[in-house]
Amino acid sequence: MTRTFLFSFLAGGALILAAAAIFPLPVHERFPSRIEVLTNGGRSESFVIHWPEDRLQLTGELDGAAVNQADGVAVLAPRRRPPVSAEVFRLRDVEDRVIGIATRLTGRMPGRRGRERSASSWTLMIPSRGILMLTQNNGANVGPVRVGGRWLAAVDSPGFWATGSRYRISAGPAPGGRGRVLAGTGEFRSLTGEYSEVWELEELAANQRSQGTILLNTVTARQR
């Protein structure tokens, strides 16, 4: 019995290796990275997201907790606590090619003098390159808004675009009101730096449904 098991195991392994040689596993297509080398030795790279077309729908549960939906935004709103939202997007390069997936978590954090502040964390996942993690304080409340018993994404909430069509969302904690690069894997490993997040409105319908672009511009360098 043991001899038969070992023979079957080895034969199966050999068959798998032969099949892999004939029918190789799919490889993620890698587009050339659009990176600008800076004079100080760092590098700059920008990423683009279009809403609502790049929003991906999330499930109705998160770790067993019921989640509300707001046009692609999952909202966890426990009693007596500020809501937390999660979003998933297709991630594009500056040539508008889809290169990966971006997730964003937004909530309210304790601030100075007991005041709460809006904060966000981004995770950029790019196959064949790695993962880049970002965090920032927000200059505006970009979390979902509850209107008439339902949740709306910030970009579709009444009055969000009342004072302009281009907002810089980043407001620290890095100098100059920029967000901070936290960590990375793959080719993003050991990178440190800053980034800015800008929202640009392209169209606003009468029912407040909007479309526009999110631009993430990163400036990074290797840790010394």
Side-chain angles (χ1 to χ4, degrees):
M1 180 66 70
T2 302
R3 185 175 299 175
T4 301
F5 171 78
L6 290 175
F7 175 79
S8 301
F9 179 81
L10 293 174
L15 183 60
I16 292 173
L17 291 175
I22 300 173
F23 305 104
L25 294 175
V27 177
H28 291 290
E29 181 179 4
R30 173 165 179 164
F31 294 108
S33 304
R34 298 308 179 194
I35 298 172
E36 178 185 355
V37 178
L38 304 177
T39 55
N40 63 357
R43 67 182 198 175
S44 175
E45 184 172 10
S46 297
F47 304 97
V48 178
I49 295 169
H50 301 301
W51 83 80
E53 64 182 279
D54 285 336
R55 285 188 185 277
L56 302 178
Q57 294 296 323
L58 298 175
T59 60
E61 289 191 0
L62 184 64
D63 291 336
V67 189
N68 300 286
Q69 294 291 336
D71 295 329
V73 183
V75 185
L76 183 61
R79 293 182 180 181
R80 301 180 182 179
R81 293 185 181 181
V84 177
S85 65
E87 302 163 271
V88 181
F89 303 92
R90 299 181 186 90
L91 184 67
R92 302 173 184 266
D93 62 13
V94 291
E95 296 186 3
D96 218 34
R97 299 174 300 197
V98 176
I99 59 172
I101 296 292
T103 65
R104 174 182 174 132
L105 297 178
T106 301
R108 300 193 67 82
M109 306 290 291
R112 295 179 178 178
R113 300 178 182 178
R115 297 180 180 177
E116 293 182 340
R117 57 181 174 81
S118 177
S120 296
S121 295
W122 284 96
T123 301
L124 313 183
M125 295 167 283
I126 306 175
S128 77
R129 293 186 62 189
I131 296 174
L132 186 63
M133 290 171 279
L134 318 169
T135 188
Q136 70 180 20
N137 300 329
N138 297 324
N141 182 12
V142 297
V145 179
R146 192 172 179 83
V147 178
R150 68 190 184 98
W151 291 96
L152 295 176
V155 291
D156 295 328
S157 61
F160 186 85
W161 300 105
T163 58
S165 60
R166 187 177 190 273
Y167 293 156
R168 173 170 167 159
I169 305 301
S170 304
R178 298 173 66 87
R180 187 170 67 242
V181 174
L182 284 179
T185 66
E187 73 173 57
F188 302 111
R189 188 186 304 276
S190 301
L191 288 182
T192 184
E194 304 166 356
Y195 78 102
S196 63
E197 176 182 345
V198 175
W199 292 13
E200 293 186 353
L201 177 68
E202 297 171 359
E203 182 178 345
L204 181 63
N207 62 356
Q208 293 293 315
R209 293 299 299 272
S210 66
Q211 67 180 49
T213 298
I214 298 173
L215 177 64
L216 300 172
N217 179 256
T218 65
V219 177
T220 57
R222 293 289 176 188
Q223 294 181 1
R224 296 180 180 178

